[in-house]
Amino acid sequence: MTDTVKVINKLGVHARPAAMLVQRASKFSSKIEIEYDGTKINAKSIMGVMMLAAACGSELKIIADGDDALESIEGIKALIASKFDEE
Amino acid sequence: MIFSEGSTVNPAAESEKGSHEFSGIAASPGIAIGKAHIYSSTDYWIEERDIAPGEIDAEKARFAAAVEKVIHDIKELKYKIQTRVGEKHAKIFEPHIMLLQDPELIKETNDLIETGKSAEFAFFRTTRKIIKAYKHANDDYLRERIADIQDILRRVYAKLVGKEYMHLASVEEPVIVIASNLTPSDTSNMHAGKIKAFVTDFGGITSHVTILARALQIPAVVGTKNASKTVRSGDIVIVDGENGMVYINPTVNTIEKFRKEQKQILINRQALADLKELPAVTTDGVRIGLYANIEFFEEVSAVLENGAEGVGLYRSEFLYLLSDKAPEEDEQFTAYFKVAEKLAPDPVVIRTFDLGGDKISHIIPTEPEQNPYLGWRAIRLSLSLRELFKVQLRAIVRASSLRNVKILFPMISSVDELDEALAVLDEAKKEIKSEGHDFNEDIPVGIMIEVPSAVMIAEHLAKKVDFFSIGTNDLIQYSVAVDRANDRIANLFDPFHPGIIKLIAMTVEAAHNAGIPVAVCGEMGGNPSAAILFTGLGIDELSMIPAYIPPIKRIIRLIRKEYAREIAEKVLKLETGTQVRELIAREIEKLNLTSL
């Protein structure tokens, strides 16, 4: 199951949002990956998510595989849409 | 104390071999003399070691156990820091824990172990790969994380080889640590007994390591730019945390000089400690209030230890400079309340955010300005970002339920400005009232006198507020027209310029005519020579770095108000700053106060 989402908070997925994203992703049992700019990383890995360095306006592709794949994608999309509580 | 940043390596005038000095930022006071211990957290190399196929599972289990133990250790360390210096600093360790729980990091290491490599080497190789990637990252935050990764690498390695973590606590003899940079984990492991002082190439007055050093009372000089590359382990080093200087292989004479100074500091500290419970009263019975300038909750213990009567200046900027979004009302309320509660019933003067100028917060949409010190800063910025300003005022008003909180507006230059600020405060009070919170309806409000125009209209301003606080740094900057940050004209920045003394005298007169007290809360507040002058001019309160309080108290307890007034009168007739300084120096000598 895949979906795309656009990063809309001004500072992009910097450290704090990365940590929030990993925490959110880790709640789901599905395998979740994020693809951006030709790189695919494990959404449950802080190293990976930080390395994406996705700036504001980036299109992220979320790929989830597992029992709660749909919920996990919705959960991550909601977090990104909330601008990580930044603005 | 010198806060100016420098990068100079000066061959010492005395021509002893290898003798030189560095200047940096005086980060934590005190003087230390000892052997240098070059501490490097970057060059860490673990040799490749192969294991037998039968050992793979055991090796993976060994790795898992080591990671588990390190997570436990870091959680413990986090708790220790939290109880010692507060939650904010403890949060520094969160990335460490997340990294240690990172499934990719664990998986990659286990994959390497499966190819027949030792756990130590596998983990080293994996972390090395991330460090390499982060080094090239176009993001300061990621580059900073390198130190965290190195920290966990060292910790995991130590567990795997069954040793104590090679942190600074394992240093055997007392040394002076010289490092390019230190992680908070490094600093929190420093014990005053073994680590006499530290010197780093990077860091500023507000960096985490600096704050921790002050909390742990270890002398430190930071921002020396390249000391760690020049100094060798075993070199004899003097760290002068009072003046931000580091002397490498100094001459016997220099060592002698600093030994004496060190001894004097100890003697003074002891003598001063005895004054803690006594008030700052002149011999003819005039009392001067001595208060502390602080920025963080962690400094409250220093306020109490040094016998301050409260906080005369609580800088609230840190809330805006340290977080990545505008601080919310509750967060601010908690910060203010915590300080006020700990010090109650002693007063705590909270200055509303003094941003702009050199204190740029990325929360504020600033554009580069030609003359930032004459630009959009302090109260001007607050009044044009009214919502942000009101959030802060609401938080302060709520904290006033403790009845010891006061508000201070920075850089007021006109009555209109003050009226506008008071109107926002009024709105905040009304809101808090309608929400049913308890607060102090008559919360005392003061203004910073730091612009000459404010001095000229002080009689009008005084009618509208409860107290004045003179910010000498800015008052000097704006009166003498000297940009504080400009080295080329630094010699013109003269606290004893007769013009400045006159402005202070005028401020005191206007305030006292209106029946309100005046404080001095700038750097001059902690200057012993100035203390005599201020007493003579009729200043009611002085606020300064907590450590400066005992020596200032000692001076005040040794002089007569009437005598100080005579000096002030003489000073007001002088023509130059040099004459002013010379006159005060002569009087100090007469009083036998030179050891201060």
Side-chain angles (χ1 to χ4, degrees):
Chain A
M1 195 170 287
T2 70
D3 202 349
T4 56
V5 59
K6 199 172 192 172
V7 176
I8 50 168
N9 63 313
K10 224 187 307 173
L11 299 169
V13 187
H14 62 96
R16 200 183 58 92
M20 288 170 81
L21 202 152
V22 170
Q23 275 159 358
R24 178 72 59 100
S26 301
K27 284 194 185 125
F28 301 102
S29 64
S30 295
K31 181 181 172 204
I32 310 167
E33 290 173 311
I34 297 178
E35 196 178 320
Y36 168 64
D37 209 13
T39 313
K40 197 195 278 181
I41 55 94
N42 177 348
K44 295 176 185 177
S45 160
I46 183 77
M47 277 161 31
V49 177
M50 286 206 302
M51 260 193 315
L52 281 184
C56 182
S58 312
E59 289 268 2
L60 305 184
K61 186 169 168 190
I62 308 168
I63 308 138
D65 182 15
D67 289 342
D68 52 7
L70 179 66
E71 292 94 317
S72 67
I73 288 183
E74 289 307 319
I76 290 171
K77 275 176 70 180
L79 179 67
I80 294 174
S82 78
K83 300 184 180 180
F84 301 98
D85 302 331
E86 271 182 0
E87 289 144 56
Chain B
M1 193 178 279
I2 295 169
F3 284 109
S4 62
E5 228 169 313
S7 60
T8 43
V9 185
N10 301 324
E14 305 139 298
S15 62
E16 195 162 288
K17 205 183 162 208
S19 177
H20 53 265
E21 60 191 57
F22 290 92
S23 68
I25 299 164
S28 179
I31 287 171
I33 305 171
K35 262 193 209 162
H37 173 87
I38 306 299
Y39 179 75
S40 167
S41 48
T42 46
D43 300 324
Y44 206 78
W45 196 266
I46 292 163
E47 290 301 321
E48 186 164 353
R49 183 168 66 84
D50 290 330
I51 53 166
E55 291 175 296
I56 288 174
D57 283 343
E59 196 69 0
K60 280 160 83 174
R62 205 163 69 86
F63 172 61
V67 169
E68 227 17 79
K69 277 189 217 150
V70 173
I71 292 177
H72 174 79
D73 284 359
I74 293 181
K75 282 187 177 162
E76 229 174 52
L77 182 61
K78 188 175 167 223
Y79 179 73
K80 204 167 80 190
I81 292 296
Q82 189 178 334
T83 47
R84 241 156 105 187
V85 286
E87 182 125 26
K88 193 135 199 155
H89 297 307
K91 280 204 168 135
I92 309 167
F93 294 102
E94 266 165 22
H96 296 66
I97 296 170
M98 280 190 92
L99 280 164
L100 282 163
Q101 291 168 333
D102 195 305
E104 291 298 305
L105 183 74
I106 304 299
K107 183 174 174 294
E108 258 182 62
T109 307
N110 279 329
D111 287 352
L112 262 172
I113 294 174
E114 273 179 26
T115 67
K117 299 296 170 197
S118 72
E120 295 92 316
F121 179 72
F123 190 58
F124 169 63
R125 170 83 69 78
T126 315
T127 49
R128 194 113 194 132
K129 209 175 104 188
I130 315 168
I131 290 170
K132 228 169 142 184
Y134 282 13
K135 261 189 186 154
H136 298 291
N138 198 14
D139 182 292
D140 286 343
Y141 188 85
L142 279 193
R143 283 196 297 269
E144 273 170 36
R145 294 284 73 75
I146 292 174
D148 296 340
I149 297 165
Q150 276 157 344
D151 195 37
I152 61 166
L153 169 62
R154 280 184 287 158
R155 286 171 179 278
V156 171
Y157 177 74
K159 287 283 183 241
L160 285 170
V161 298
K163 278 188 192 165
E164 267 306 294
Y165 172 49
M166 291 283 293
H167 54 56
L168 290 166
S170 59
V171 170
E172 306 246 312
E173 51 171 356
V175 288
I176 286 169
V177 171
I178 314 240
S180 168
N181 209 349
L182 290 170
T183 64
S185 147
D186 290 329
T187 330
S188 60
N189 275 306
M190 287 186 180
H191 298 301
K194 283 190 186 139
I195 309 294
K196 291 175 148 186
F198 76 78
V199 176
T200 62
D201 296 345
F202 300 100
I205 199 77
T206 55
S207 59
H208 284 297
V209 282
T210 303
I211 294 157
L212 284 172
R214 266 182 267 152
L216 301 172
Q217 297 187 14
I218 299 173
V221 173
V222 303
T224 56
K225 305 238 161 99
N226 45 18
S228 76
K229 293 186 202 85
T230 322
V231 184
R232 300 213 179 120
S233 275
D235 280 351
I236 299 297
V237 179
I238 299 174
V239 177
D240 177 359
E242 313 274 329
N243 296 300
M245 293 298 296
V246 182
Y247 302 87
I248 316 301
N249 293 324
T251 62
V252 178
N253 285 344
T254 311
I255 294 181
E256 206 41 50
K257 184 187 134 204
F258 277 98
R259 282 245 162 84
K260 270 190 198 149
E261 211 161 304
Q262 204 178 18
K263 217 184 249 171
Q264 196 57 51
I265 291 177
L266 283 179
I267 294 171
N268 288 351
R269 272 193 196 160
Q270 192 42 52
L272 298 171
D274 302 339
L275 293 177
K276 193 180 149 186
E277 305 298 335
L278 301 172
V281 183
T282 61
T283 52
D284 47 351
V286 176
R287 183 160 181 167
I288 309 283
L290 296 188
Y291 295 84
N293 295 347
I294 65 163
E295 185 158 17
F296 301 100
F297 174 74
E298 292 81 313
E299 292 167 286
V300 169
S301 52
V303 175
L304 298 166
E305 276 163 28
N306 288 290
E309 291 163 59
V311 166
L313 176 65
Y314 179 21
R315 299 186 173 94
S316 61
E317 295 84 67
F318 76 98
L319 284 163
Y320 302 79
L321 294 166
L322 291 184
S323 54
D324 44 18
K325 59 177 184 164
E328 279 160 22
E329 183 181 318
D330 281 344
E331 185 193 336
Q332 296 199 44
F333 166 73
T334 310
Y336 307 144
F337 191 85
K338 244 168 64 178
V339 169
E341 189 184 31
K342 188 97 188 232
L343 291 170
D346 291 343
V348 173
V349 177
I350 302 171
R351 181 174 72 186
T352 61
F353 57 87
D354 185 7
L355 295 167
D358 58 343
K359 284 174 282 190
I360 307 295
S361 162
H362 55 272
I363 296 159
I364 313 290
T366 44
E367 279 169 25
E369 294 183 328
Q370 199 95 41
N371 294 302
Y373 286 109
L374 298 179
W376 195 51
R377 57 167 297 204
I379 196 71
R380 304 168 180 183
L381 188 147
S382 303
L383 291 175
S384 54
L385 297 172
R386 273 180 95 118
E387 278 315 303
L388 198 68
F389 187 40
K390 193 149 86 186
V391 169
Q392 178 172 39
L393 290 174
R394 282 178 49 102
I396 301 176
V397 169
R398 276 173 59 195
S400 78
S401 63
L402 289 165
R403 300 298 186 275
N404 61 336
V405 169
K406 302 183 186 187
I407 295 180
L408 182 61
F409 294 129
M411 210 187 160
I412 293 289
S413 65
S414 72
V415 171
D416 293 335
E417 228 166 22
L418 174 59
D419 283 342
E420 211 181 324
L422 289 171
V424 185
L425 174 61
D426 225 37
E427 276 171 38
K429 277 193 201 166
K430 277 188 190 131
E431 288 174 15
I432 297 297
K433 191 173 190 175
S434 71
E435 288 162 25
H437 292 290
D438 174 40
F439 73 103
N440 180 5
E441 299 245 12
D442 302 313
I443 179 168
V445 177
I447 55 169
M448 296 278 298
I449 299 286
E450 43 192 349
V451 181
S453 64
V455 178
M456 305 320 267
I457 56 164
E459 54 176 314
H460 306 302
L461 295 168
K463 284 180 206 147
K464 293 172 178 271
V465 293
D466 303 297
F467 63 97
F468 281 166
S469 191
I470 304 176
T472 46
N473 285 343
D474 274 325
L475 185 61
I476 300 165
Q477 157 164 283
Y478 293 127
S479 310
V480 193
V482 172
D483 177 351
R484 284 203 264 153
N486 189 337
D487 287 341
R488 291 162 85 178
I489 48 170
N491 60 315
L492 297 178
F493 188 88
D494 183 2
F496 292 99
H497 188 297
I500 304 297
I501 317 282
K502 271 193 188 156
L503 289 169
I504 295 172
M506 287 167 71
T507 309
V508 174
E509 199 189 339
H512 288 179
N513 284 343
I516 64 167
V518 194
V520 168
C521 69
E523 225 160 290
M524 254 182 118
N527 179 321
S529 306
I532 300 180
L533 190 55
F534 289 147
T535 306
L537 289 171
I539 293 285
D540 304 284
E541 293 165 5
L542 298 172
S543 194
M544 63 203 80
I545 296 171
Y548 290 178
I549 290 176
I552 298 290
K553 187 185 281 183
R554 185 168 168 203
I555 289 190
I556 291 168
R557 290 180 60 87
L558 285 172
I559 57 173
R560 234 174 357 104
K561 162 78 191 244
E562 204 35 48
Y563 156 80
R565 201 183 54 77
E566 283 163 23
I567 296 181
E569 266 173 21
K570 279 187 209 160
V571 163
L572 283 168
K573 291 186 187 125
L574 296 175
E575 290 174 10
T576 69
T578 311
Q579 287 171 356
V580 175
R581 272 189 299 271
E582 281 171 0
L583 187 139
I584 298 175
R586 277 199 303 275
E587 297 298 331
I588 286 185
E589 205 163 323
K590 269 195 240 162
L591 282 169
N592 204 13
L593 287 172
T594 33
S595 66
L596 298 162

